[in-house]
Amino acid sequence: MDKNTITGFILIAAILIVFSWWNQPSEEQIAEFRKQDSIAAVEKQKAEETKKASEEAKKAEKASQLAENAQDTTALFYKAQNGSAQDIVLKNSKLELVFSTKGATIQKATIKGFEDRVDNPDLTLFDEKDQQMKFILEGKEININSSELYFQPSDQTDSTVTFTAEASSGKQLVVKYLLGQDYMLHASVQALGMEGLFSPQKKEMAIEWTDKCRQQEKGFTFENRYASLTWHEVDGGTDYLNEAKEYIDEKVGDEIDWVSFKNQFFSAVMIAKDGFGKDNLMTSIPQEKGTYYLKEYGVKLKAAFDPSGKKPTEFEFYYGPNDFRLLQRVEKQSTFGKDLQLERLVFLGWPLFRIINRWFTLYVFDWLTKLNINMGIVLILITLLLKLITYPMVKKSYMSSAKMRVLKPKLEEATKQYDKPEDQMMKQQAMMSEYSKYGVSPLSGCLPMLIQAPIWIAMFNFVPNAIQLRRESFLWIKDLSTYDPILEWKSNLWLIGDHLSLTCILFCVANLLYSWMSMRQQKDQMVGQQAEQMKYMQWMMYLMPVMFFFMFNDYSSGLNFYYFVSLFISAAIMWTLRKTTNEEKLLAILEKKYKENQANPKKVSGMAARIEKMQKQTEELRKMRMQQEQMKKNK
């Protein structure tokens, strides 16, 4: 970066400052803006009050209609519209589900053996305040809404129950549930004796399912980043609504097998045997910090329905942890015979990173966790294993830099006559020529280092989704799945939040140390203006750890700890290689290579020779163009 470039940046900055000052509003304009904002706020409040009043009026009208129907002995579901709600409990060693006889749907789901945000021994996924499900059948003259009916329970055990809503003339709406051995619930909905109420062409059932997803972890921001409305398409593959955006009745055109209300470590999943039809509507509304809710979810689905009553509409529900191996096992309990890919609820990254995590990281992680050692030790061992695998590439990269470093005096001597800006092409050619004579490729160390980048990104996706780290302590860290505060306060500070994470600080310090060592190594091999440009580059490299602090302060301590250990080991490897490399011996080897190449010029090859050849061709083309332009001027 030369003086002209710096001067240009300063002038641009000055122009922007002057332009901002010139265009700032006057006091009168500011007052007018405030007035308009106040008017807009009042109008918004009035609109919200009108909407609320309209909703209340609709509820009152609906309640009145239900009351009239309850008094009307000729109504189809006269008996089922009268009664009182009763709780029915199905449970096993892993899950407890509370059903209500009003609506015949689940009111509360409790996952056993997992602590919640406030350290209760069992985790409540949702209760009647947060979640509601409706089955709606559209008849010729009347619509049947399961949430408005009182069902009679029968055949009740700890794992089964049948709900029946009695209609006139022996007509029935029957909902059956069977709880499996762990987290899978089987269900069916069937209308008996009601063939004449539905059009034969009407073969769909409407389902409305809403839920306010609870905050289950300490770190709201981090957990919210992994909470998403997810679904599986019939043709294969999963998709989801962006976690950070608001969606209201977003249309999903493809047929889907299942839909999930997912948070970081737990999910509620609804699966349809015959799939959900096209044009389903999805809602996901992010909630504010402090409400202890992550998202407000909602779906409007269409499932297959047999109006003759011969074939029930079948569903399966999963209420449980997002554990990759567990989801694979539970899927085998499904009676639908589909490849549901429930394990996709555990996001392992985009294709390349998913492959690394799916076929390497998971197997290593499974093997280490079976040893019953602390999860912090597991992360250290994974880091050491990855460093051992990538060590040959790291050493190759370092040796390439070391060769360039010991050749620096010779490069400076060979390029000292090319100090002018217009001679930079010639200077690069001279450098490439010298490298090729000594058999050195300046790019040979770059590609091995790039191979390590996917591993970093793969672990970025793996660690936050590993439920095995949840509530696991290590050293000063109480929970490896969330941040570890060394200092906390009540209000949110811009970019920082309401805490300082110690592992994040350690990661950033290790990053700063590693950046300093890397920049020092690169600076020692730079020639001429490259060394001057490196001064500006190093400030950017030093700013990266600061940027990482603002990004990772909310991230899990397990991820920050992994990056800290990884960078610390990388710095130790770099330091060890530098201390153990005999530069005089290395230079002697390069001199021997130089003499061999002089004796046999055809032997010169490699990346440096190819780059040199390309640069010469480029220079020849440049000279030809200059000659052509000169000839045109002479004419």
Side-chain angles (χ1 to χ4, degrees):
M1 187 178 292
D2 55 23
K3 293 181 179 179
N4 292 333
T5 306
I6 297 171
T7 304
F9 279 130
I10 294 172
L11 288 174
I12 291 170
I15 291 170
L16 289 173
I17 293 170
V18 172
F19 181 78
S20 300
W21 174 81
W22 181 265
N23 284 277
Q24 66 181 351
S26 63
E27 293 295 331
E28 293 79 5
Q29 289 174 320
I30 292 173
E32 182 63 24
F33 291 154
R34 287 174 178 170
K35 182 180 178 181
Q36 291 177 1
D37 289 342
S38 300
I39 294 171
V42 171
E43 290 178 350
K44 182 179 179 181
Q45 184 177 358
K46 286 182 179 179
E48 290 176 353
E49 290 176 354
T50 303
K51 182 180 178 182
K52 187 176 180 180
S54 177
E55 289 175 353
E56 293 294 333
K58 288 180 180 179
K59 288 180 181 179
E61 183 180 351
K62 190 173 183 180
S64 176
Q65 183 64 42
L66 289 174
E68 290 178 11
N69 291 339
Q71 299 298 322
D72 183 4
T73 57
T74 64
L76 177 63
F77 279 97
Y78 166 70
K79 296 180 181 179
Q81 288 171 346
N82 294 273
S84 58
Q86 176 186 350
D87 288 343
I88 304 295
V89 178
L90 300 186
K91 59 183 179 180
N92 56 29
S93 61
K94 304 289 181 63
L95 188 65
E96 181 175 303
L97 302 174
V98 178
F99 298 79
S100 175
T101 55
K102 185 176 183 182
T105 53
I106 302 169
Q107 299 294 298
K108 183 179 181 181
T110 303
I111 303 173
K112 299 180 180 180
F114 290 91
E115 293 181 355
D116 66 5
R117 181 178 54 81
V118 292
D119 299 328
N120 291 319
D122 297 325
L123 182 145
T124 299
L125 194 60
F126 58 79
D127 60 20
E128 65 278 0
K129 299 191 301 295
D130 306 329
Q131 188 263 7
Q132 187 178 31
M133 182 177 289
K134 304 175 185 178
F135 301 110
I136 302 171
L137 303 173
E138 184 178 340
K140 294 178 181 177
E141 298 180 356
I142 187 173
N143 292 337
I144 302 170
N145 188 333
S146 64
S147 65
E148 299 172 354
L149 304 178
Y150 291 91
F151 290 74
Q152 296 300 315
S154 62
D155 302 327
Q156 183 183 352
T157 66
D158 280 346
S159 59
T160 62
V161 65
T162 299
F163 292 102
T164 305
E166 295 286 350
S168 59
S169 305
K171 297 177 177 64
Q172 294 178 332
L173 181 62
V174 181
V175 184
K176 295 182 179 180
Y177 293 101
L178 169 63
L179 181 61
Q181 61 186 11
D182 39 40
Y183 302 102
M184 187 72 85
L185 175 70
H186 306 269
S188 67
V189 180
Q190 191 172 16
L192 300 176
M194 293 193 283
E195 299 94 323
L197 299 178
F198 307 105
S199 171
Q201 290 77 32
K202 191 65 177 178
K203 296 184 178 182
E204 286 184 333
M205 170 194 298
I207 302 163
E208 294 183 7
W209 183 24
T210 59
D211 179 30
K212 290 190 73 174
C213 181
R214 292 187 174 192
Q215 178 185 344
Q216 303 290 358
E217 314 304 323
K218 179 172 67 174
F220 171 86
T221 304
F222 189 64
E223 185 183 5
N224 207 9
R225 191 176 286 115
Y226 292 91
S228 62
L229 197 158
T230 308
W231 63 88
H232 182 268
E233 297 170 355
V234 170
D235 295 333
T238 56
D239 204 348
Y240 63 96
L241 297 181
N242 188 301
E243 304 91 342
K245 294 183 179 179
E246 179 178 304
Y247 298 89
I248 298 178
D249 289 343
E250 180 77 8
K251 184 180 290 186
V252 176
D254 298 324
E255 293 184 16
I256 61 177
D257 284 319
W258 53 258
V259 63
S260 169
F261 294 163
K262 173 183 176 294
N263 65 10
Q264 185 178 3
F265 292 124
F266 303 93
S267 290
V269 186
M270 185 179 189
I271 310 162
K273 182 177 182 179
D274 298 311
F276 296 107
K278 295 183 178 180
D279 299 332
N280 299 295
L281 302 178
M282 311 287 189
T283 294
S284 176
I285 305 173
Q287 303 298 290
E288 295 292 330
K289 186 175 182 179
T291 62
Y292 300 108
Y293 288 101
L294 304 173
K295 301 283 194 310
E296 183 178 332
Y297 290 136
V299 292
K300 295 176 182 177
L301 309 168
K302 297 175 183 178
F305 170 67
D306 181 9
S308 70
K310 295 178 182 179
K311 180 183 177 182
T313 302
E314 295 185 63
F315 303 103
E316 288 175 335
F317 297 88
Y318 174 82
Y319 302 105
N322 300 330
D323 183 324
F324 191 93
R325 298 302 185 193
L326 172 64
L327 288 163
Q328 286 183 319
R329 293 195 300 270
V330 167
E331 185 172 326
K332 295 177 181 178
Q333 300 172 22
S334 173
T335 60
F336 296 167
K338 292 183 174 184
D339 182 14
L340 297 172
Q341 296 182 308
L342 287 174
E343 71 274 7
R344 288 292 189 94
L345 288 169
V346 182
F347 184 68
L348 296 179
W350 298 111
L352 173 62
F353 314 121
R354 186 190 304 132
I355 291 170
I356 295 172
N357 285 327
R358 175 68 180 85
W359 302 108
F360 174 77
T361 313
L362 263 172
Y363 283 98
V364 174
F365 191 76
D366 291 343
W367 173 62
L368 291 174
T369 51
K370 288 178 182 176
L371 300 177
N372 293 320
I373 56 180
N374 185 276
M375 283 298 161
I377 302 297
V378 168
L379 290 175
I380 294 174
L381 293 176
I382 289 177
T383 311
L384 290 172
L385 179 60
L386 291 172
K387 291 300 177 184
L388 182 63
I389 293 172
T390 58
Y391 176 75
M393 294 180 287
V394 172
K395 185 176 181 181
K396 183 176 181 181
S397 175
Y398 176 82
M399 292 308 296
S400 176
S401 299
K403 290 175 183 178
M404 295 168 68
R405 184 168 63 250
V406 297
L407 290 175
K408 181 179 178 181
K410 297 182 179 296
L411 290 172
E412 289 178 338
E413 180 66 26
T415 61
K416 63 182 181 180
Q417 68 270 33
Y418 305 118
D419 284 339
K420 296 179 181 179
E422 60 269 21
D423 295 335
Q424 289 306 302
M425 179 66 74
M426 300 294 292
K427 184 174 185 176
Q428 289 295 324
Q429 288 181 2
M431 290 174 61
M432 291 298 107
S433 178
E434 288 297 306
Y435 283 137
S436 62
K437 289 175 185 178
Y438 286 93
V440 175
S441 172
L443 299 180
S444 62
C446 298
L447 293 178
M449 292 302 291
L450 288 175
I451 295 174
Q452 296 184 81
I455 296 175
W456 264 59
I457 300 173
M459 293 300 290
F460 177 83
N461 289 299
F462 179 82
V463 174
N465 289 293
I467 194 173
Q468 292 83 355
L469 299 180
R470 187 177 187 268
R471 296 293 191 271
E472 288 291 322
S473 61
F474 179 65
L475 299 177
W476 70 89
I477 305 170
K478 293 182 180 179
D479 186 351
L480 284 164
S481 70
T482 188
Y483 61 83
D484 57 319
I486 189 175
L487 185 64
E488 291 184 280
W489 51 89
K490 293 182 179 180
S491 59
N492 280 323
L493 295 181
W494 183 62
L495 292 179
I496 297 178
D498 57 3
H499 66 275
L500 290 177
S501 174
L502 179 55
T503 51
C504 179
I505 295 172
L506 291 175
F507 159 47
C508 293
V509 170
N511 196 358
L512 189 64
L513 173 64
Y514 183 74
S515 298
W516 175 75
M517 294 180 69
S518 299
M519 296 300 294
R520 181 185 171 191
Q521 178 174 304
Q522 293 179 32
K523 186 178 180 181
D524 289 345
Q525 68 194 41
M526 295 297 177
V527 178
Q529 288 190 350
Q530 290 180 335
E532 292 297 321
Q533 293 174 354
M534 201 65 188
K535 293 179 181 179
Y536 300 101
M537 181 66 72
Q538 67 183 3
W539 288 111
M540 294 178 63
M541 295 297 292
Y542 293 150
L543 282 173
M544 285 185 65
V546 178
M547 294 170 60
F548 280 143
F549 169 76
F550 295 119
M551 292 171 58
F552 285 81
N553 192 43
D554 273 322
Y555 273 63
S556 70
S557 54
L559 182 64
N560 281 320
F561 181 72
Y562 164 76
Y563 283 152
F564 162 68
V565 174
S566 178
L567 284 167
F568 185 81
I569 295 174
S570 295
I573 291 173
M574 188 182 297
W575 181 84
T576 303
L577 286 172
R578 181 140 192 170
K579 289 294 182 182
T580 56
T581 300
N582 189 325
E583 295 189 356
E584 292 181 359
K585 186 177 179 180
L586 181 60
L587 181 59
I589 294 171
L590 293 174
E591 291 285 4
K592 183 180 178 182
K593 184 74 172 178
Y594 175 71
K595 291 178 181 179
E596 290 177 357
N597 290 336
Q598 274 189 323
N600 186 10
K602 294 183 179 179
K603 194 176 178 182
V604 178
S605 62
M607 181 69 76
R610 289 193 293 271
I611 292 174
E612 181 188 5
K613 184 178 178 181
M614 290 173 61
Q615 287 186 329
K616 285 182 178 179
Q617 291 174 348
T618 304
E619 181 62 18
E620 288 175 0
L621 287 171
R622 187 180 71 84
K623 288 181 178 178
M624 288 177 60
R625 288 175 182 172
M626 289 179 65
Q627 289 175 357
Q628 290 174 355
E629 290 176 0
Q630 187 64 37
M631 290 174 63
K632 289 180 180 178
K633 289 180 180 179
N634 293 334
K635 287 180 179 180

